[in-house]
Amino acid sequence: MDDVRPCAECSVRDRALCGTLSDAELVGLNRIGRRRRLAAGETLTLAGDRADACGNVLSGALKLTAATADGREQIVGTLFPSDFIGRPFAERVDFTVTALTGSEICSFPRGPFERLMEDHAALERELLNHAFGVLAAARTQMLTLARRSAREKVAGFLLDMASRSGAQASRATSEAPVTFALPLNRGEIADLLGLTIETVSRQITKLKAAGLIALPSVRGVTIRNEAALRAIAG
């Protein structure tokens, strides 16, 4: 479902790529932007397709996947509110993007967005900063998979999910426990971290037994001792 909305109503404007633009400069972006809602499990783009659009995640969570040589799906990343989807000036889509939860994105047709970037240097610089940030995150992920133990990987993953899901901002005080819902199931977490489902479940159980986290629901997680969890994550 597509919808036209003014940028003034955007819930992630201050954090998203377009936050560098003034109200006057946002007029052009608002003119080409369309909001699109995705149901959980719905695919936004397929790897190898023509890259016709890009945009910002407004709500929900999505996953980036690639196909391995034997045809299996490999999760290579996740997207949360304010994250940018797509790669301007690229002819083809690099990864398949699928909604993990009900999600909403603000989509821009690639051609008009590229022309808008040419007129606004701040937007172009912000996209470059975003690209460097994604590269740094990819390198960190490679280090995580190569060097960290299973316990360290799971602890770091939970902290990352708490931060990126917006749970940090919703707690009453800085000392209050953080509760959030995992957008990934145990199998998807294992895929992302390069572990088995059994190992992920075992490490989560151990963190719960140690009193560092609680599991209020099937996918719900409460971080009860953030400092200790950070010490494990390294």
Side-chain angles (χ1 to χ4, degrees):
M1 179 186 299
D2 293 338
D3 191 14
V4 182
R5 298 281 184 83
C7 293
E9 296 181 13
C10 180
S11 60
V12 299
R13 176 181 167 184
D14 292 341
R15 295 178 286 140
L17 191 72
C18 45
T20 58
L21 301 179
S22 67
D23 289 343
E25 291 171 329
L26 281 170
V27 172
L29 194 63
N30 183 57
R31 189 175 295 120
I32 65 173
R34 297 292 183 274
R35 290 198 179 189
R36 178 175 176 181
R37 296 178 180 86
L38 300 170
E42 185 175 352
T43 295
L44 175 65
T45 59
L46 289 171
D49 281 355
R50 181 177 174 81
D52 292 325
C54 52
N56 295 319
V57 180
L58 302 181
S59 64
L62 304 96
K63 64 179 178 179
L64 304 173
T65 59
T68 62
D70 58 3
R72 292 183 297 108
E73 178 188 86
Q74 173 66 51
I75 299 177
V76 297
T78 51
L79 297 167
F80 288 88
S82 80
D83 284 341
F84 190 75
I85 304 174
R87 187 159 63 97
F89 307 107
E91 293 296 325
R92 298 290 170 182
V93 175
D94 293 320
F95 303 108
T96 295
V97 180
T98 307
L100 290 165
T101 66
S103 303
E104 186 175 22
I105 65 169
C106 185
S107 178
F108 311 111
R110 185 169 64 88
F113 184 75
E114 290 171 355
R115 290 191 290 273
L116 193 69
M117 286 178 57
E118 293 172 357
D119 296 331
H120 299 288
L123 184 61
E124 193 170 22
R125 285 196 299 271
E126 190 62 26
L127 181 63
L128 182 61
N129 286 333
H130 165 77
F132 282 133
V134 170
L135 179 60
R139 287 171 173 167
T140 299
Q141 178 72 2
M142 290 173 64
L143 177 62
T144 295
L145 295 177
R147 298 293 182 86
R148 288 184 176 178
S149 67
R151 182 177 175 83
E152 291 169 338
K153 289 178 182 179
V154 172
F157 169 79
L158 293 177
L159 289 168
D160 183 49
M161 289 297 102
S163 174
R164 299 182 69 196
S165 67
Q168 299 281 0
S170 66
R171 57 181 174 179
T173 67
S174 59
E175 292 78 23
V178 178
T179 298
F180 60 97
L182 286 170
L184 302 164
N185 60 38
R186 299 290 172 89
E188 290 168 329
I189 295 171
D191 189 24
L192 183 65
L193 298 180
L195 302 171
T196 65
I197 298 176
E198 293 76 16
T199 298
V200 169
S201 296
R202 185 163 55 249
Q203 293 303 324
I204 289 177
T205 298
K206 287 182 177 180
L207 292 173
K208 177 185 177 183
L212 304 188
I213 64 171
L215 304 174
S217 62
V218 175
R219 291 205 184 187
V221 176
T222 298
I223 295 181
R224 301 177 63 183
N225 191 331
E226 185 175 337
L229 204 60
R230 289 194 181 280
I232 293 172

